[in-house]
Amino acid sequence: MRPSPIAATVDFERDGLRHGFLKLPHSHDASAWGSIMIPITVAKGGQGPTVLLTGGNHGDEYEGPIALFDLANRLNPAELSGRVILVPAMNFPAFGAAKRTSPIDGGNMNRAFPGRPDGSVTEKIADYFQRTLLPMADFVLDIHSGGKTLQFVPFAAAHVLEDKAQQERCIAAMRAFNAPFSLMLLEIDNVGMYDTAAEELGKTLVSTELGGGGSATAHTAAIAKRGVDNFLKHAGVMPGEPELKPSTLLDMPNADCYVTSETSGLIEYVVDLGDEVRQGDIIARVFDIERTGATPTEYRARLDGLLVGRHFPGLITMGDIVGVVAVPV
Ligand code: CA
């Protein structure tokens, strides 16, 4: 396969702290010979594993960029045993536009893997992670939240994997991140995801959903910052032990966890995130906005558990997620 067009302005191998860019040539109307400059920090000290930390995989999710821009200012390579590579805004064009997907090519980074060196801008970034950054890493943390259209209780996640030893490593790292909730996440469709790419390379991967709605709160930003430090301590790259608080372990046994809207309109939630629901309980009602006097459509929990995710905007469209219910273990 042809080489990536992306060039890193930072050295990945030397000890020390370096801030630079992943430079991706991009010729467009406003800059004929221009480049997209994706911020990256590399900190290396002593011997140890490599931890790859990312945020902004989706451009409208902010806990990851906050925690990683902050960490870049705190890292001291003299204290490290190993290497930290951090990219606060993986889909930098999307992040700059405050959008989930890239304004350049419409690319959804988390559906673009393994990417292509000769593809669209988003595919070129994915290919660089697939063939250059992921192979360097032992531990991989990708910090998501719900973006403008979803909101979640703050959780770190691991997946059920065929390799049970790898699955146990991922669960241990998820618990070390120590969000208020720790979830065995059943993906709707894992094809093209960065998570899947990292897992298929045998990496210890943790992802998160820390909030949503297109902004971050003081609470969720603090969870992300503490989680990143805990993750680095768990990997052995940062000195000290993870600071652990109670975390509720959750499972998603099957696709009944997802409730999808079959109507469009005004949504009224009758339970909030973190609330307990029983099978058959109403989660939300959707009113037809075109007329008064119509009976709202009721959406019910399909199993007993906690509401861990919901649609965020006040209006919902057919096919959107109404709720995600997960089961405490
Ligand atoms: Ca996301």
Side-chain angles (χ1 to χ4, degrees), residues 57-58 60-61 100 110 143-147 150 152 208-209:
N57 177 326
H58 293 129
D60 60 349
E61 304 175 2
R100 178 173 180 82
N110 222 23
I143 305 170
H144 285 251
S145 54
L150 290 171
F152 294 99
T208 73
E209 298 290 353

Side-chain angles (χ1 to χ4, degrees), residues 199-220:
E199 286 162 352
E200 285 179 351
L201 290 171
K203 309 304 178 184
T204 301
L205 170 98
V206 172
S207 67
T208 73
E209 298 290 353
L210 296 181
S215 191
T217 65
H219 178 60
T220 57

Side-chain angles (χ1 to χ4, degrees), residues 59-62 92-101 103 148 214:
D60 60 349
E61 304 175 2
Y62 296 99
F92 190 71
F95 177 68
K99 284 165 58 96
R100 178 173 180 82
T101 59
K148 288 177 179 167

